[in-house]
């Protein structure tokens, strides 16, 4: 719609915003009318109309099999559009049109904003299935007529009340028509069933909806007064009412087609099961986060016990082995701590990498500068946990073996995320400027426990590749390259 309006018309941005507000609401008018709606806007030169939006009803057959958006019609070809635009009134004159052997009644509703007619809604009703209307259909049609008059007067949609139609109740979910005093004139079967779910034992017709709703909702004091006013339809509002184990969602729409309030529409939907499932999901999310939190606490307890045992060790090699185990446990604990703070099983790995780097850097015997460049991005927990251990082992290996005691140096961790339409890969490089690799060293055959852990996790669990190479001349040091496939996910 934005492109069509800006390309063909002279409407301002504020006018376009009004049309967007109308289109966000007009499913209601379409369903109440049992009719297709097409929004026509005059072109910049005034010689034609361009259709910028279309809506089909959920309550009846369509009048248009084809998409009408983008069609251009010369002025004069459709007299009803001309009359509605020029005179600023709803036009219903004329005989039905025949489209593919289907009779269609066409009406034109001017769209007014601040005294100006911006365009015209063509309301097209398929007459092929016309029959004697029921009380429900008569209520629908009367409500549609009231809304059409409000649109023609510039009183609908309501300014600043844009509604998410995917989340709001629809006409078929349940409808109640109130008079000016808030007394129920008509309640659809679905609406009555929703109130029975709240505990209502009688009919709604003839009762004040606000008072009935307040009595069914388990609240007291000022909340009751607010509920009475809201459910009486004095203002456009949305709320939920809970009682007797049921939950219904209410949306009130005041009706004042000629500037005088004549009543209101109340759309409602039984959302009991939906809210129950949402609560179950919230409970499950809280449980999962609590599990991650407890795992983190248990891992920290294990790390503390290992650290305590290391202090009591007389063997230097035994003490070093326990300290390595402490860091391995700590890297896993960092992941679980991050997961305990999230609502899903994904983590921002950059924060984890920084903490792992800081943790491992504490063991450096010299003045070694450790830093990270690039971004790891969002990773699943099933990738983040083994990757944190791999990063711990690689960094620990670099700091222990690359620099003699007291020697200065640097270690850089680089991450590059490569996204494609079908795959996402993470290329990690850990490079130091230390003493380099021994002559004839082969990382794929080395018996070092840390490198065995890296190979197992990268190639077996992560399905990636691992290599350890000398830094090309003229530099010195060692470069570890990890290529890991990850799923492309965004937060």
């Amino acid at each position: 719609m934005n492109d069509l309006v800006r390309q063909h018309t002279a409407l301002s941005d504020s006018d376009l915003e009004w049309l967007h507000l109308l289109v966000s609401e007009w499913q209601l008018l379409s369903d109440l009318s049992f009719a297709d709606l097409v929004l026509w806007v005059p072109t910049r030169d005034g010689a034609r109309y361009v259709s910028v939006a279309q809506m089909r009803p959920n309550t009846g057959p369509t009048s248009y099999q084809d998409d009408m958006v983008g069609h251009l019609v010369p002025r004069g070809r459709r007299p009803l559009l001309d009359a509605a635009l020029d005179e600023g009134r709803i036009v219903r004159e004329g005989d039905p049109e025949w489209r593919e052997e289907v009779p269609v009644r066409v009406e034109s509703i001017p769209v007014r904003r601040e005294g100006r007619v911006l365009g015209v809604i063509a309301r097209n009703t398929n007459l092929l299935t016309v029959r004697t209307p029921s009380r429900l259909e008569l209520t629908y049609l009367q409500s549609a007529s009231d809304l059409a008059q409000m649109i023609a007067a510039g009183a609908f949609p309501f300014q600043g009340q844009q509604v998410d139609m995917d989340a709001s109740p629809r006409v078929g979910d349940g409808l109640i028509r109130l008079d000016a005093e808030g007394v129920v004139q008509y309640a659809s079967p679905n609406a009555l069933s929703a109130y029975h779910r709240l505990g209502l034992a009688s009919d709604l017709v003839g009762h004040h909806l606000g008072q009935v709703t307040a009595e069914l909702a388990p609240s007291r004091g000022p909340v009751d007064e607010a509920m009475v006013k809201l459910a009486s339809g004095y203002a456009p509002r949305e709320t939920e009412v809970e009682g007797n184990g049921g939950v219904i969602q209410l949306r009130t729409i005041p009706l004042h087609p000629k500037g005088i309030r004549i009543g209101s529409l109340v759309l409602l939907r039984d959302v009991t099961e939906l809210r129950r499932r949402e609560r179950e999901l919230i409970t499950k999310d809280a449980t999962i986060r609590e599990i991650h939190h407890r795992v983190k606490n248990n891992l920290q307890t294990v790390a503390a016990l290992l650290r305590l045992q290391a202090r009591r060790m007389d063997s230097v090699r035994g003490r070093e082995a326990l300290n390595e185990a402490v860091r391995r446990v700590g890297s896993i604990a960092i992941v679980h701590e991050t997961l305990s703070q999230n609502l899903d099983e994904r983590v921002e790995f950059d924060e984890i990498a920084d903490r792992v780097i800081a943790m491992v850097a504490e063991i450096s015997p010299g003045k070694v500068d450790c830093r990270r460049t690039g971004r790891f991005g969002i990773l699943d927990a099933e990738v983040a946990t083994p990757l944190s251990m791999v990063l711990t082992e690689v960094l620990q290996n670099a700091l222990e073996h690359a620099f003699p005691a007291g020697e200065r140096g640097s270690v850089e961790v680089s991450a590059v995320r490569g996204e494609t339409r079908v795959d996402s890969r993470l290329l990690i490089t850990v490079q130091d400027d230390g003493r380099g690799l021994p002559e004839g060293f082969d990382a794929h055959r080395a018996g070092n426990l840390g490198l065995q852990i890296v190979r197992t996790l990268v190639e077996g669990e992560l399905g990636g590749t691992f290599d350890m190479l000398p830094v090309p001349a003229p530099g010195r040091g060692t470069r570890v390259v990890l290529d890991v496939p990850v799923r492309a996910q965004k937060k």
Side-chain angles (χ1 to χ4, degrees):
M1 186 166 71
N2 286 352
D3 294 339
L4 289 171
V5 168
R6 287 167 179 156
Q7 179 182 355
H8 295 285
T9 77
L11 296 182
S12 65
D13 288 343
S14 57
D15 292 334
L16 179 57
E17 186 61 32
W18 181 261
L19 295 184
H20 274 293
L21 192 61
L22 172 65
V23 169
S24 72
E25 292 271 32
W26 71 343
Q27 180 73 64
L28 173 63
L29 177 62
S30 177
D31 290 345
L32 290 172
S33 303
F34 308 98
D36 290 72
L37 306 179
V38 180
L39 177 58
W40 296 92
V41 180
T43 57
R44 191 174 287 104
D45 58 7
R48 295 178 296 175
Y49 297 96
V50 58
S51 58
V52 298
Q54 178 180 1
M55 178 58 66
R56 292 184 172 90
N58 294 319
T59 52
T62 183
S63 302
Y64 286 109
Q65 298 299 326
D66 300 326
D67 187 6
M68 294 296 297
V69 175
H71 283 215
L72 291 165
V73 174
R75 185 177 171 87
R77 180 175 294 179
R78 300 194 177 183
L80 297 185
L81 295 182
D82 298 338
L85 183 69
D86 296 337
E87 302 173 22
R89 65 180 180 87
I90 298 175
V91 182
R92 296 190 176 93
E93 298 88 351
D95 297 327
E97 297 180 2
W98 287 84
R99 299 176 189 162
E100 299 179 358
E101 301 183 354
V102 175
V104 177
R105 182 175 63 242
V106 181
E107 304 167 83
S108 295
I109 305 168
V111 177
R112 191 183 303 274
R113 175 180 179 265
E114 297 179 351
R116 296 180 299 114
V117 178
L118 306 182
V120 179
I121 295 176
R123 181 163 55 177
N124 304 267
T125 306
N126 187 325
L127 300 178
L128 196 61
T129 58
V130 170
R131 62 185 187 278
T132 303
S134 64
R135 177 72 188 281
L136 180 144
E137 291 168 331
L138 288 173
T139 302
Y140 277 20
L141 292 171
Q142 180 58 53
S143 301
S145 176
D146 294 334
L147 281 177
Q149 292 183 56
M150 291 170 64
I151 292 173
F156 187 83
F158 303 110
Q159 188 70 38
Q161 291 288 328
Q162 188 160 357
V163 175
D164 182 2
M165 292 305 297
D166 291 333
S168 294
R170 298 188 177 230
V171 170
D173 296 327
L175 179 140
I176 297 175
R177 175 81 185 225
L178 307 179
D179 65 12
E181 302 301 322
V183 176
V184 178
Q185 294 180 312
Y186 174 78
S188 71
N190 284 346
L192 193 58
S193 296
Y195 265 83
H196 286 165
R197 187 72 175 265
L198 290 180
L200 179 69
S202 60
D203 195 2
L204 276 172
V205 177
H207 296 276
H208 191 280
L209 184 66
Q211 295 175 355
V212 170
T213 305
E215 291 171 359
L216 295 173
S219 55
R220 296 289 181 270
V223 179
D224 276 348
E225 297 178 9
M227 182 63 70
V228 169
K229 195 171 185 66
L230 188 148
S232 299
Y234 286 99
R237 292 287 186 273
E238 284 197 38
T239 190
E240 287 188 1
V241 180
E242 184 170 356
N244 194 41
V247 184
I248 62 172
Q249 185 181 15
L250 294 177
R251 182 191 175 196
T252 56
I253 304 170
L255 298 175
H256 40 84
K258 297 181 180 179
I260 301 174
R261 185 173 178 275
I262 63 170
S264 57
L265 286 179
V266 180
L267 303 180
L268 65 156
R269 176 171 57 187
D270 185 347
V271 293
T272 304
E273 290 303 311
L274 179 63
R275 295 296 175 259
R276 181 185 64 81
R277 291 172 186 170
E278 287 178 351
R279 288 168 183 154
E280 287 181 353
L281 288 175
I282 291 173
T283 302
K284 289 179 181 178
D285 286 340
T287 302
I288 291 171
R289 286 197 288 174
E290 178 63 21
I291 289 172
H292 284 303
H293 182 71
R294 294 190 180 188
V295 170
K296 182 263 296 185
N297 288 344
N298 290 338
L299 289 172
Q300 288 180 336
T301 301
V302 171
L305 292 173
L306 292 173
R307 194 178 296 112
L308 182 62
Q309 185 67 34
R311 291 172 184 162
R312 296 174 176 268
M313 289 285 293
D314 295 329
S315 170
V316 175
R317 292 187 62 183
R319 191 182 307 116
E320 291 176 352
L322 287 175
N323 285 331
E324 288 180 3
V326 168
R327 285 185 286 275
R328 288 166 184 151
V329 172
S331 66
I332 303 174
I334 291 173
V335 177
H336 282 281
E337 181 179 3
T338 306
L339 288 169
S340 69
Q341 299 168 1
N342 293 341
L343 293 176
D344 52 22
E345 289 292 290
R346 295 182 296 165
V347 294
E348 176 64 68
F349 197 79
D350 294 323
E351 178 186 350
I352 293 175
D354 291 339
R355 294 180 62 181
V356 167
I357 291 170
M359 177 183 68
V360 177
E362 294 178 358
I363 71 168
S364 173
K367 301 293 184 178
V368 179
D369 176 34
C370 296
R371 62 182 181 275
R372 172 180 62 86
T373 60
R375 294 193 69 250
F376 289 85
I378 308 290
L379 298 180
D380 288 339
E382 60 190 19
V383 175
T385 302
L387 188 58
S388 67
M389 287 194 64
V390 168
L391 189 58
T392 300
E393 296 298 332
V394 172
L395 286 170
Q396 188 168 283
N397 187 75
L399 292 175
E400 284 184 356
H401 302 293
F403 307 100
E407 183 177 330
R408 293 180 177 274
S410 64
V411 178
E412 180 177 337
V413 179
S414 170
V416 178
R417 187 78 172 259
E419 305 282 354
T420 67
R421 191 170 62 179
V422 296
D423 193 14
S424 176
R425 302 194 72 83
L426 183 61
L427 183 63
I428 306 166
T429 304
V430 180
Q431 181 169 318
D432 65 68
D433 57 1
R435 67 176 68 179
L437 296 173
E439 189 71 26
F441 179 83
D442 185 354
H444 296 280
R445 296 183 179 180
N448 179 285
L449 176 61
L451 292 181
Q452 289 180 8
I453 292 175
V454 171
R455 287 198 301 268
T456 301
L457 293 177
V458 172
E459 297 174 358
E461 189 162 345
L462 295 175
T465 60
F466 156 71
D467 206 354
M468 181 179 285
L469 307 166
V471 174
R476 69 166 194 154
T478 304
R479 176 183 297 167
V480 177
V481 180
L482 308 170
D483 188 355
V484 179
V486 294
R487 286 191 294 177
Q489 291 185 327
K490 297 180 180 178
K491 220 169 192 178

